[in-house]
Amino acid sequence: MKTGCAINPDCVDLQHAKAIDETLFDLVNGIEILNSVAPVNYKDQKSEFFKRHYSVEPRFEYRDSPGNAFQLKRQLFNLPVEKIEDPDLQKIYEDVIVSYADKVDQLQTIGSQEFLYNSLRYFGEPTEKDIRNATFILHLPDSDDDENTMVDASGIQAIMETFAQNEGYEYKLVIDDNMIANALVSGTSVKINTTANIPLIEANALAHHELGVHLVTTLNARAQPLKILSLGCPVNTMTQEGMAILSEYLAGHLSIKRLKVLALRVLAVESMIKEKSFRNTFMMLKEQYGADRNTAFTITSRVYRGGGFTKDYLYLKGFHEVLNAYEEEDGFLNLLCGKTALMHLPQINRLVEKEIFLPPTNITPSFRTPKDNDEIRRFITHAIK
């Protein structure tokens, strides 16, 4: 087995991989599900839904889907991955190509009934265990750690800027007036919702979540000799979001309220699959679980966007799996190499050892210097099975 591929330009294995890597990147770079399922008329539909006293189903509109799906998938499957000599690297390329073919199917069906089927095929759906975990969290008493100090978009921006500058991150802050989330990272752009108004503990958690993991893994991926970890391992959402919640927890900013929002997302996905009625899911969150109308609308919109987006149940599940890996798995920090998935950690660890992948240069601050959580918080997080 050849070693030192990342620093040895004569390594045949890396030369084959680089040719495939460049072609694959050119084919699928820019395919981004989250941007594509973001409704372009979100604010208008929210206003109309409230104005009509929750009596109408929102009609979300989306950007046009790109290109010829059949042609793109044919080009993907024609890539000669069998020429990659390293079996660990070949396995990752094979899995990523299959996952992007599935993503293309999702993109082509946004706004139609088929989108839910493709979302279920890619992300899956909540299991009975996921529902039990969510129900357990929702039965927890509210905590007094949810302080009353509120932070608006400008306050979140200040927290984000301080965080990024202290860590020396490359970033660009963008204020967006048509977002569902309070903040998100796209590339090296950190987008903040103009209407965001959240408790200070959540604002700090948001910085550790978005910058500490999503921006960190973007920057580390861009430093790799291969672009595959910028494209992302299959269903890396569960691992990436799990690490982001773990970052909130290890920083001491994961509140009971935040856990309850993650639990409500699980139940909202289940309701969306069964009920297929925006209004019914919204009313369940509001009337049965006591969510305020803005929170209920945000959560419901997240799971109904595109035609039925099941991704949101993975946050809680991902947190459980990543917490276990953090405490048990060797080489855990190599998950920060890029947009990785826990299922590929053995391959990633071996590829780092062989110097085909570089170890992460940016380390999530809360992973580097974790804070002690109280006994109650430790019990709750470890009770999620």
Side-chain angles (χ1 to χ4, degrees):
M1 180 67 66
K2 294 179 175 66
T3 60
C5 289
I7 57 176
N8 180 3
D10 297 323
C11 175
V12 174
D13 189 41
L14 190 59
Q15 287 177 347
H16 281 300
K18 277 200 167 184
I20 294 168
D21 187 77
E22 291 288 344
T23 304
L24 176 60
F25 188 80
D26 289 343
L27 285 173
V28 301
N29 184 37
I31 291 179
E32 178 51 65
I33 299 294
L34 285 182
N35 287 336
S36 298
V37 298
V40 296
N41 61 340
Y42 174 73
K43 286 178 67 176
D44 291 341
Q45 289 302 294
K46 179 179 180 180
S47 176
E48 185 69 13
F49 185 75
F50 288 165
K51 179 182 177 181
R52 297 288 190 93
H53 304 289
Y54 327 137
S55 63
V56 295
E57 295 279 306
R59 295 185 177 183
F60 293 132
E61 297 173 357
Y62 308 94
R63 300 171 184 86
D64 291 336
S65 297
N68 184 306
F70 176 80
Q71 184 179 7
L72 177 54
K73 286 194 288 185
R74 182 170 62 183
Q75 290 175 296
L76 288 173
F77 289 123
N78 279 340
L79 291 172
V81 292
E82 68 280 358
K83 290 185 178 180
I84 299 175
E85 296 173 12
D86 186 281
D88 292 322
L89 195 59
Q90 184 183 96
K91 170 66 174 171
I92 290 177
Y93 276 92
E94 288 173 349
D95 290 350
V96 169
I97 287 169
V98 170
S99 77
Y100 266 92
D102 289 340
K103 284 184 179 182
V104 169
D105 288 337
Q106 290 183 69
L107 284 173
Q108 291 294 314
T109 56
I110 288 174
S112 74
Q113 293 181 345
E114 289 181 67
F115 181 79
L116 174 57
Y117 167 76
N118 288 322
S119 180
L120 286 166
R121 187 157 56 92
Y122 187 76
F123 294 110
E125 63 182 301
T127 63
E128 289 185 13
K129 184 169 72 171
D130 296 325
I131 300 300
R132 287 198 302 271
N133 283 332
T135 304
F136 161 73
I137 289 171
L138 291 170
H139 279 94
L140 294 171
D142 292 332
S143 173
D144 58 6
D145 65 359
D146 297 327
E147 53 196 276
N148 294 321
T149 303
M150 302 299 287
V151 180
D152 62 10
S154 62
I156 295 171
Q157 180 178 353
I159 290 171
M160 295 278 196
E161 286 180 334
T162 300
F163 189 109
Q165 290 168 5
N166 286 344
E167 293 296 320
Y169 296 155
E170 174 193 349
Y171 72 100
K172 176 184 177 183
L173 280 172
V174 178
I175 305 298
D176 194 315
D177 64 355
N178 194 48
M179 289 174 58
I180 297 178
N182 288 315
L184 60 84
V185 167
S186 178
T188 56
S189 294
V190 183
K191 299 181 179 181
I192 300 173
N193 192 331
T194 53
T195 64
N197 190 39
I198 57 178
L200 179 60
I201 188 173
E202 290 186 28
N204 284 313
L206 204 56
H208 283 273
H209 182 113
E210 298 295 340
L211 303 183
V213 171
H214 294 321
L215 183 59
V216 157
T217 53
T218 294
L219 295 174
N220 287 338
R222 292 186 177 187
Q224 295 292 337
L226 297 168
K227 298 176 181 178
I228 189 73
L229 293 185
S230 287
L231 296 177
C233 295
V235 200
N236 64 78
T237 297
M238 183 163 69
T239 299
Q240 295 294 307
E241 298 299 350
M243 288 199 298
I245 303 298
L246 177 65
S247 179
E248 298 179 38
Y249 172 68
L250 294 178
H253 296 305
L254 182 60
S255 67
I256 302 300
K257 180 181 177 182
R258 169 68 162 154
L259 281 172
K260 287 188 175 184
V261 168
L262 300 181
L264 288 174
R265 290 179 183 177
V266 177
L267 300 186
V269 170
E270 183 195 35
S271 173
M272 180 269 294
I273 294 169
K274 292 181 177 179
E275 299 278 350
K276 296 184 175 63
S277 165
F278 187 102
R279 182 182 181 278
N280 287 354
T281 301
F282 171 85
M283 294 304 293
M284 177 195 74
L285 299 179
K286 184 176 180 296
E287 302 296 336
Q288 186 174 340
Y289 294 102
D292 66 83
R293 70 174 194 167
N294 284 312
T295 299
F297 188 87
T298 297
I299 293 173
T300 307
S301 297
R302 287 175 64 102
V303 303
Y304 277 85
R305 56 186 162 166
F309 200 36
T310 64
K311 160 186 170 284
D312 270 10
Y313 86 93
L314 292 174
Y315 284 68
L316 200 59
K317 183 175 184 176
F319 175 47
H320 160 68
E321 295 194 359
V322 167
L323 178 60
N324 285 345
Y326 171 76
E327 295 176 342
E328 304 290 340
E329 296 287 343
D330 292 332
F332 172 82
L333 289 180
N334 283 333
L335 289 172
L336 296 173
C337 283
K339 303 301 180 182
T340 61
L342 192 55
M343 64 180 287
H344 287 110
L345 182 58
Q347 288 94 345
I348 290 165
N349 282 338
R350 290 192 292 267
L351 289 166
V352 169
E353 289 174 7
K354 290 179 279 194
E355 298 182 348
I356 294 175
F357 288 162
L358 300 175
T361 52
N362 296 289
I363 304 296
T364 304
S366 60
F367 293 1
R368 196 171 59 228
T369 53
K371 292 185 178 179
D372 289 331
N373 278 279
D374 58 50
E375 290 184 11
I376 295 175
R377 207 60 46 86
R378 289 198 300 272
F379 169 78
I380 291 170
T381 53
H382 287 81
I384 303 170
K385 300 298 184 182

